[in-house]
């Protein structure tokens, strides 16, 4: 088995190397990851400047390791397009410090790296732990091995993007595994405003999880957020079709009217 490991926290992040160390028992691991923290860049691809690559000495023995001056998506594109010459059997992204739940998957670099693998037909798994400090990576790393073994045994679909979130607990305190759907938003964005000279500027701070800031509020049952809230591991199978069935049927009724209004705009 040949495994591509990447992340969005950057090539020096502890979570990445816990993942790599664990996956090394399943097969040959190649690491291609951003050279610095790229959290929140989503599927961003670098098109307006060259993407520099540096082979670096890995902290885990027997692993090829490339630092990319670019995004997680750049890393996967370079890895699959050039840096890894032989066939890659699976892509793992993470282990991210902090959850990637609900609609945050749309801005998550961790999930986007997996998405790029998925779009190229390779089974992909993104792993995140719901904490920003004193993160328990070990259970997530063990889970990566379990999933990798299932992919190896062809027990899972080839066309697959898994978004996995774990509560930040030691294994013995985790209450189980839930297969979930995406919930809604996770974070409350806080804007911190500063004024320097004539220019205003803002920091967008992703501070609190929704449930940490609201008393007696619970995420909707069956969602990824609910599973983590209940101290369970959440596994959400994703696909890339963002089409809204509801808006699709409403708009289909209107397509002729839209075209007519285009030639003869209503006043
Ligand atoms: Mn991150």
């Amino acid at each position: 088995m040949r495994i591509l490991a990447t992340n969005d926290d950057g090539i020096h992040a502890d979570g990445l190397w816990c993942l790599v160390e664990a996956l090394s028992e399943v097969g040959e691991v190649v690491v291609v990851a951003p050279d610095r923290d790229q959290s929140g860049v989503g599927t961003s691809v670098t098109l307006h400047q060259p993407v520099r690559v540096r082979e670096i000495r890995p902290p885990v023995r027997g692993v090829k390791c490339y630092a990319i001056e670019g995004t997680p998506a750049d890393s996967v594109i370079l890895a699959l397009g050039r840096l890894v010459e032989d066939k890659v059997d699976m892509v793992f992204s993470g282990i991210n410090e902090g959850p990637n739940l609900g609609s945050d998957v749309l801005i998550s670099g961790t999930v986007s790296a997996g998405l790029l693998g998925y779009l190229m037909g390779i089974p992909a798994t993104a792993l995140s732990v719901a904490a920003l400090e004193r993160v328990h990576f070990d259970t997530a790393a063990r889970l990566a091995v379990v999933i990798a073994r299932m992919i190896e045994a062809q027990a899972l679909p080839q066309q697959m993007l898994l978004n996995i979130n774990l509560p930040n607990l030691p294994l013995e305190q985790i209450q189980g595994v839930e297969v979930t759907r995406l919930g809604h938003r996770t974070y409350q964005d806080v804007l911190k405003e500063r004024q320097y000279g004539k220019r205003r500027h803002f920091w967008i701070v992703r501070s609190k999880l929704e449930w940490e800031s609201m008393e007696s509020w619970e995420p909707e049952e069956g969602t990824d957020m609910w599973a983590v809230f209940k101290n369970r591991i959440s596994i959400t199978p994703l696909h890339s079709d963002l089409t809204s069935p509801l808006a699709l049927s409403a708009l289909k009724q209107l397509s002729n009217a839209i075209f007519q209004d285009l030639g003869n705009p209503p006043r």
Side-chain angles (χ1 to χ4, degrees):
M1 288 286 115
R2 193 167 297 102
I3 303 167
L4 172 63
T6 187
N7 74 348
D8 78 351
D9 290 342
I11 201 146
H12 301 295
D14 292 340
L16 174 64
W17 292 103
C18 286
L19 177 70
V20 171
E21 195 154 29
L23 287 174
S24 295
E25 74 177 69
V26 183
E28 178 198 336
V29 183
V30 182
V31 179
V32 184
D35 64 354
R36 67 201 76 177
D37 191 351
Q38 293 278 356
S39 295
V41 303
T43 51
S44 171
V45 177
T46 302
L47 297 177
H48 301 288
Q49 61 193 58
V51 181
R52 294 181 186 86
V53 179
R54 195 159 39 99
E55 186 163 358
I56 63 171
R57 196 189 306 180
V60 173
R61 274 204 327 179
V63 171
K64 276 229 168 216
C65 179
Y66 301 91
I68 303 297
E69 205 178 301
T71 67
D74 294 338
S75 303
V76 177
I77 291 169
L78 263 62
L80 299 180
R82 188 61 60 89
L83 299 175
V84 189
E85 281 170 12
D86 302 296
K87 178 177 170 280
V88 171
D89 298 294
M90 50 189 102
V91 174
F92 278 83
S93 178
I95 303 163
N96 191 60
E97 282 193 28
N100 280 306
L101 296 161
S103 49
D104 276 321
V105 299
L106 296 170
I107 66 156
S108 162
T110 307
V111 178
S112 295
L115 176 68
L116 266 285
Y118 163 85
L119 291 175
M120 293 187 214
I122 302 169
T125 305
L127 292 144
S128 307
V129 179
L132 296 172
E133 45 197 41
R134 283 191 234 118
V135 183
H136 290 273
F137 292 119
D138 42 335
T139 310
R142 286 168 69 170
L143 182 58
V145 173
V146 172
I147 298 292
R149 292 279 186 216
M150 285 183 173
I151 295 169
E152 186 181 27
Q154 300 183 338
L156 290 166
Q158 175 74 19
Q159 202 171 53
M160 177 188 83
L161 171 58
L162 298 182
N163 185 39
I164 300 183
N165 283 272
L166 297 94
N168 190 34
L169 295 168
L171 180 56
E172 56 278 13
Q173 289 175 38
I174 291 179
Q175 301 299 310
V177 170
E178 293 285 343
V179 176
T180 56
R181 64 181 191 277
L182 291 179
H184 297 289
R185 63 197 299 258
T186 329
Y187 287 99
Q188 292 189 320
D189 291 327
V190 176
L191 291 177
K192 296 196 171 168
E193 185 171 353
R194 298 275 186 281
Q195 182 106 27
Y196 286 103
K198 287 183 178 168
R199 297 281 294 272
R200 295 160 88 194
H201 75 229
F202 293 91
W203 279 100
I204 301 169
V205 183
R206 319 214 83 202
S207 57
K208 278 189 169 169
L209 289 168
E210 204 84 65
W211 65 73
E212 289 173 339
S213 49
M214 284 191 269
E215 265 178 57
S216 72
W217 178 83
E218 277 198 22
E220 199 181 323
E221 189 169 336
T223 63
D224 50 358
M225 296 161 75
W226 170 81
V228 174
F229 180 77
K230 293 285 181 190
N231 291 334
R232 299 166 86 88
I233 294 166
S234 166
I235 302 181
T236 310
L238 301 177
H239 65 175
S240 56
D241 184 357
L242 295 172
T243 315
S244 156
L246 193 71
L248 185 78
S249 57
L251 277 158
K252 267 182 186 279
Q253 317 279 327
L254 291 171
S255 57
N256 283 334
I258 291 170
F259 191 55
Q260 271 169 20
D261 286 357
L262 195 60
N264 187 16
R267 295 189 175 267

